[in-house]
């Protein structure tokens, strides 16, 4: 399936940050997957690919989604880089 969402805010660690600031590095990424993730978090397109590449060649798979107390919680597992 596809997950549609629209982020209202973000945190960088414990520090609250505007969504636009938190997503700016994704917008500038050379990775189409990361740019697509930024668009999905803005509500512009569905989050269809549940595997997100990281800068160090690892990947993160979203394994669960839940909503509690007005927050979206994503459960993820790291896929180690191939040797």
């Amino acid at each position: 399936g596809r997950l549609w969402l629209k982020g209202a805010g973000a945190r960088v660690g414990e520090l609250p940050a505007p969504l636009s600031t938190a997503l700016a590095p994704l917008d500038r990424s050379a990775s189409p997957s990361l740019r697509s993730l930024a668009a999905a978090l803005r509500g512009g397109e569905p989050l269809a690919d549940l595997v997100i590449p990281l800068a160090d060649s690892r990947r993160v798979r979203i394994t669960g989604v839940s909503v509690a107390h007005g927050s979206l919680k994503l459960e993820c597992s790291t896929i180690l880089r191939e040797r």
Side-chain angles (χ1 to χ4, degrees), residues 1-77:
R2 292 178 177 225
L3 173 65
W4 285 89
L5 54 96
K6 183 170 183 174
R11 289 188 174 271
V12 179
E14 294 295 318
L15 181 66
L19 189 61
S20 60
T21 301
L23 296 180
L26 301 180
D27 292 327
R28 294 189 302 267
S29 173
S31 167
S33 296
L34 292 178
R35 289 192 312 271
S36 181
L37 175 61
L41 291 172
R42 286 188 177 92
E45 61 184 63
L47 183 58
D49 185 3
L50 298 180
V51 176
I52 302 164
L54 301 178
D56 64 358
S57 301
R58 294 177 300 154
R59 295 174 293 152
V60 173
R61 179 178 306 277
I62 299 173
T63 57
V65 179
S66 61
V67 177
H69 309 292
S71 295
L72 178 70
K73 179 180 176 182
L74 300 177
E75 185 174 321
C76 302
S77 62

